[in-house]
Amino acid sequence: LFQHRVFIMGKITASFGLVLTTAVVVAISAYFFQGQEATNYVEGARVDQTTGFAFPLQQDFKVAGKKLALLGLGTRKKVFLNVYSVAFYGSRPVEKALATKKENKSRCETIIESKGKKAAHMTMSMGLDAEKMAEALSNIEGVKQSTKHAFGNMILTGINGKLKKGESMTIEWRFPNSVSVTARGEIIGEVKDQDLYRGLLVVYLGAKGVSPTLKADIEAVAE
């Protein structure tokens, strides 16, 4: 009888522990994912719900020009860390290319191949060293080592230390081979190389793009 009581008490304790653990998980999930069902649109802008950063539906850029349209936004993650939000913009020729894209082409592929001006605008969700950013953006397959070195050094010296949380960086493309970088609203340099031009577009929009949520958002936009 005593053993039977111990067995029942053990089952009750285990059940209570399971219920408590489940409750804790649900509470934590509710805390971290609260508001995820809310719309990510605000007046004249869209919000990256993961980081809370807002990006205007149209934006002017130093090199790519005025009134580029927001084509999609997402988050660059590293394991469980949110590194930065990234919004991708395109000029009118890019929008026209999307409106007339071939059925066998994705929207991301169409953007890569389009001739219009483009921009990837990033807002940091955490501090990021210039060295890490330079290494990540210059390590591109199919680009000459001398070009990688020049582009990496341009970013390294232009950022000069570290991009802090909330600070921005922008990559701007001008067909057929111009890539410019802006940090904290100031142009830090330009490199003209066709392989770099395409390679950086692939970094964001290619099959192994650094932000799957950005690609998914671009593809999800209604035709």
Side-chain angles (χ1 to χ4, degrees):
L1 179 61
F2 174 78
Q3 290 179 336
H4 182 64
R5 287 179 179 176
V6 169
F7 176 75
I8 293 174
M9 288 299 294
K11 289 188 67 177
I12 293 173
T13 301
S15 298
F16 178 75
L18 178 61
V19 171
L20 182 60
T21 301
T22 303
V24 170
V25 171
V26 170
I28 292 174
S29 298
Y31 175 80
F32 282 105
F33 295 98
Q34 58 184 328
Q36 291 299 300
E37 297 301 322
T39 176
N40 64 352
Y41 282 88
V42 295
E43 186 176 356
R46 287 187 63 198
V47 178
D48 180 350
Q49 293 177 316
T50 302
T51 63
F53 293 126
F55 298 89
L57 300 180
Q58 284 192 335
Q59 185 156 323
D60 299 342
F61 293 95
K62 295 280 187 179
V63 176
K66 296 180 180 293
K67 295 184 177 180
L68 269 67
L70 178 61
L71 303 178
L73 61 85
T75 310
R76 166 61 168 147
K77 290 178 175 288
K78 196 71 172 178
V79 191
F80 56 86
L81 295 175
N82 299 321
V83 182
Y84 57 77
S85 292
V86 53
F88 204 94
Y89 289 83
S91 61
R92 285 295 300 162
V94 178
E95 290 186 278
K96 289 180 180 178
L98 287 171
T100 58
K101 80 174 186 68
K102 298 178 181 179
E103 289 186 3
N104 63 338
K105 292 286 186 181
S106 69
R107 289 175 62 85
C108 286
E109 289 173 324
T110 302
I111 293 170
I112 291 174
E113 295 174 3
S114 66
K115 296 181 179 180
K117 296 175 181 177
K118 312 166 187 74
H121 184 65
M122 295 158 274
T123 300
M124 303 299 122
S125 185
M126 57 181 285
L128 192 63
D129 291 335
E131 290 183 3
K132 291 183 178 180
M133 183 63 85
E135 181 180 357
L137 291 177
S138 61
N139 188 24
I140 301 172
E141 294 183 5
V143 178
K144 291 182 295 186
Q145 190 59 42
S146 58
T147 302
K148 292 182 183 181
H149 183 72
F151 188 67
N153 277 345
M154 183 183 80
I155 294 174
L156 191 62
T157 57
I159 292 176
N160 189 24
K162 185 177 185 177
L163 284 170
K164 299 177 182 178
K165 181 178 180 179
E167 291 187 330
S168 65
M169 176 176 170
T170 307
I171 300 174
E172 302 177 48
W173 291 265
R174 287 189 301 172
F175 187 83
N177 63 358
S178 172
V179 177
S180 297
V181 179
T182 300
R184 306 182 190 93
E186 298 297 329
I187 298 174
I188 63 176
E190 176 189 25
V191 173
K192 291 185 177 182
D193 182 271
Q194 197 161 9
D195 293 330
L196 179 68
Y197 174 97
R198 183 177 179 84
L200 281 170
L201 285 171
V202 171
V203 165
Y204 289 96
L205 305 180
K208 298 179 181 180
V210 297
S211 175
T213 53
L214 170 65
K215 290 182 55 186
D217 192 61
I218 291 173
E219 299 296 344
V221 174
E223 297 294 313

